[in-house]
Amino acid sequence: MGIKRQNIQMELAFMTERRGEAPMAATEGTELLTSLPETESPAEGAQLMEEVCRPENLKAALKAVRRNKGGPGIDGMTVGQLPVHLKQHWLAIRERLLAGSYKPQPVKRVEIPKPGGGVRKLGIPTVLDRFIQQAVLQVLQPQWDPTFSAHSFGFRPRRSAHQAVARAQEYIRQGNRIVVDLDLEKFFDRVNHDILMSRVAKRIRDKRLLKLIRSYLTSGVMENGLVGPTDEGTPQGGPLSPLLSNLMLDDLDRELEQRGHFFVRFADDSNIYVKSERAGERVMASVSRFITTKLKLSINREKSAVARPQERKFLGFSFTGGQKPRRRVAPQSVKRFKERIREITRWTKGMDVKRVVGKLAVYLQGWQSYYGFCETPTVLEELSGWIRRRLRSAFWRQWKRGRKRYEELRKRGVEADLAAQSAGSELSPWRLGRSPAMHIAFSNAYFIKLGLPTLKVRPTA
């Protein structure tokens, strides 16, 4: 076996170790690391592709792709099949990457419904292309992220939506009682490739990597069995897309900073906070011109507005009025929450309450981990009570009329007269769901014992 092939196979040692096979010798791994070409500083050099192909970077990329899971692309390869594929073909793939001749496959187009209606188009790259994109991301993000604006919070290490919401709340507390809420129309589908690549070229000298990134932008999409071109946009679904999007919108951040605005941006969602409605109208007009003329993007006029913060939604939250605005769950978010709970608790004959509560628990824990950041505990208490009422109503529907309902209530500790009165009631199951008899039969403690979480405001440090 030649030295070159031996070195390349050493890059795959991490794959065989994860599959339980015998790892290659440690001395061979050292030989690989020392045999890689010397590179200049990644921030300045033209050899970033060698950084992408470093064994440790590939190991971390494979781990990330496995952790993120996701479905197969157009070739049908699953995440679980990727290590075997790499073990067999990485030599040829690496050579194409280093030669600048690697060509990604088209992405698979899928549509998912948006909470507010319509659909969002996602592009699912093949698992191999997700792996390569992840390896590129791990090299570029540490270099680029520190240069981005402090007002940008989306898809960045150690930054979160909660931080963005808290920053917006602070601007409102400072007296900026009007928000310029900017919604970019189909941003991820409308990004101009030439403008984006001009930004990328200012940061990367390695022509092979520049060519690879452009090829990911123009790889095409497969929809209904046909491959079509992608002349614009950064398809959502690939690991590189969020970083490229932040780079594209960094120009907007710098423009707003130069103008001295108080603003928060999370991905393509930008809120600018000003003192008056008149100032907000001026800012909306001037910033819209900048976005359309300089970035070649479009503003969604129907979803953008100049308004009071309590009238708008930002990352699922809104704010109360007054001198000390508090974070609250936006009405639209409450509506979506109830729709999801209705789906989970939809009554069927012979409903297994433990299974339903188990599904509820999974959803509620995730929901609370995000919306527990609100500062309005009454809303969460009301939602918890509403869920319990849904479950009590479902139980009532399952019992047949008359004697069955009476017996079930008595069996659960309801006094005879109250059980008889309730069993003979003509009220709807929803009305009976909050009756004294059903509260006795299915107390709050009963649902807690079953494992149903009670929504609460998350304590803050």
Side-chain angles (χ1 to χ4, degrees):
M1 179 183 296
I3 295 297
K4 182 177 180 180
R5 181 175 296 274
Q6 184 183 38
N7 287 343
I8 300 306
Q9 284 196 343
M10 286 310 308
E11 298 183 24
L12 305 176
F14 62 89
M15 298 173 212
T16 58
E17 290 178 41
R18 292 185 69 92
R19 298 177 62 228
E21 300 172 14
M24 297 184 182
T27 54
E28 291 181 310
T30 303
E31 179 186 355
L32 168 67
L33 295 175
T34 56
S35 69
L36 287 175
E38 292 292 331
T39 64
E40 303 173 52
S41 169
E44 302 173 357
Q47 294 181 313
L48 284 179
M49 193 63 82
E50 280 74 14
E51 291 290 319
V52 170
C53 294
R54 272 194 317 111
E56 287 305 312
N57 188 52
L58 299 173
K59 181 178 180 179
L62 181 60
K63 184 176 180 181
V65 170
R66 282 179 152 177
R67 181 175 62 248
N68 295 334
K69 300 180 181 179
I74 65 170
D75 61 355
M77 186 191 303
T78 66
V79 171
Q81 294 170 329
L82 178 60
V84 173
H85 180 83
L86 290 175
K87 187 177 182 182
Q88 294 172 348
H89 301 286
W90 178 244
L91 172 62
I93 296 169
R94 182 183 188 270
E95 287 177 347
R96 291 200 299 272
L97 287 170
L98 294 178
S101 60
Y102 179 83
K103 294 187 182 300
Q105 295 190 67
V107 300
K108 181 169 70 174
R109 175 75 81 202
V110 296
E111 295 181 348
I112 61 172
K114 288 184 177 180
V119 295
R120 175 178 288 110
K121 293 184 177 182
L122 298 182
I124 303 180
T126 64
V127 175
L128 174 61
D129 282 321
R130 296 208 296 270
F131 167 70
I132 295 173
Q133 283 194 42
Q134 181 66 34
V136 173
L137 174 69
Q138 291 167 181
V139 170
L140 298 184
Q141 189 166 51
Q143 301 171 25
W144 293 7
D145 191 78
T147 71
F148 291 153
S149 169
H151 299 271
S152 166
F153 291 87
F155 308 118
R156 298 183 61 188
R158 297 174 294 281
R159 287 177 167 257
S160 69
H162 287 169
Q163 292 174 334
V165 172
R167 178 73 63 85
Q169 182 181 18
E170 183 58 31
Y171 289 148
I172 300 168
R173 282 177 177 164
Q174 292 171 3
N176 301 285
R177 299 305 170 89
I178 297 294
V179 60
V180 180
D181 187 352
L182 287 165
D183 186 275
L184 299 181
E185 188 171 18
K186 297 182 178 178
F187 167 72
F188 288 94
D189 297 327
R190 299 282 176 83
V191 170
N192 183 287
H193 289 171
D194 291 334
I195 294 178
L196 174 57
M197 287 307 301
S198 71
R199 272 60 171 176
V200 175
K202 291 178 181 178
R203 295 169 178 255
I204 294 178
R205 286 176 52 197
D206 191 325
K207 293 181 179 179
R208 299 165 300 175
L209 190 51
L210 287 171
K211 183 178 178 181
L212 178 66
I213 292 173
R214 181 176 278 277
S215 69
Y216 274 121
L217 296 175
T218 59
S219 61
V221 295
M222 177 176 282
E223 194 169 10
N224 299 322
L226 300 175
V227 176
T230 46
D231 301 320
E232 59 182 3
T234 60
Q236 298 181 71
L240 264 180
S241 183
L243 180 66
L244 296 176
S245 302
N246 272 332
L247 177 63
M248 183 72 176
L249 291 176
D250 192 55
D251 281 14
L252 174 61
D253 297 339
R254 299 308 175 188
E255 178 68 16
L256 296 179
E257 286 176 349
Q258 187 174 354
R259 298 184 185 189
H261 288 312
F262 298 103
F263 73 97
V264 181
R265 182 175 67 79
F266 192 97
D268 58 336
D269 198 347
S270 299
N271 279 7
I272 307 168
Y273 296 88
V274 297
K275 301 286 186 183
S276 69
E277 188 172 346
R278 191 172 182 179
E281 296 292 351
R282 287 198 304 268
V283 170
M284 173 66 83
S286 62
V287 174
S288 295
R289 281 195 301 272
F290 175 85
I291 290 172
T292 55
T293 59
K294 299 294 184 181
L295 301 182
K296 306 300 182 185
L297 296 170
S298 300
I299 301 292
N300 188 324
R301 301 293 176 181
E302 293 183 1
K303 295 185 178 180
S304 300
V306 176
R308 297 189 179 280
Q310 56 266 35
E311 299 169 357
R312 305 297 294 176
K313 174 176 68 73
F314 183 51
L315 302 177
F317 291 91
S318 186
F319 303 95
T320 62
Q323 297 298 315
K324 295 182 179 180
R326 292 178 297 157
R327 299 183 296 270
R328 66 187 179 100
V329 183
Q332 301 95 316
S333 300
V334 172
K335 180 181 178 181
R336 289 200 298 272
F337 172 85
K338 287 188 173 183
E339 289 172 353
R340 179 60 181 140
I341 296 300
R342 288 188 183 100
E343 290 176 8
I344 296 174
T345 60
R346 199 175 303 280
W347 175 79
T348 56
K349 188 175 181 180
M351 179 182 71
D352 184 343
V353 67
K354 290 185 178 180
R355 183 180 63 83
V356 171
V357 169
K359 291 180 67 175
L360 280 173
V362 172
Y363 176 70
L364 293 177
Q365 287 164 1
W367 194 88
Q368 179 170 284
S369 70
Y370 186 76
Y371 287 102
F373 187 62
C374 75
E375 297 173 314
T376 50
T378 302
V379 174
L380 301 190
E381 292 168 6
E382 290 173 351
L383 289 176
S384 289
W386 181 83
I387 293 169
R388 291 190 291 267
R389 184 179 176 184
R390 285 278 307 175
L391 291 172
R392 292 181 182 116
S393 299
F395 281 122
W396 187 260
R397 286 189 183 94
Q398 287 191 92
W399 299 336
K400 296 178 181 179
R401 292 182 176 275
R403 192 68 185 174
K404 175 66 174 177
R405 288 176 173 172
Y406 175 81
E407 292 173 351
E408 291 291 347
L409 291 174
R410 290 289 291 139
K411 186 165 60 177
R412 288 167 173 79
V414 181
E415 185 265 336
D417 288 345
L418 181 57
Q421 179 184 354
S422 301
S425 174
E426 294 298 323
L427 294 175
S428 68
W430 180 244
R431 293 282 296 275
L432 268 298
R434 64 176 180 182
S435 67
M438 291 300 284
H439 271 268
I440 294 171
F442 300 102
S443 65
N444 293 357
Y446 168 82
F447 289 117
I448 291 173
K449 188 175 180 180
L450 276 181
L452 183 70
T454 300
L455 298 176
K456 297 178 181 178
V457 170
R458 196 182 70 185
T460 55

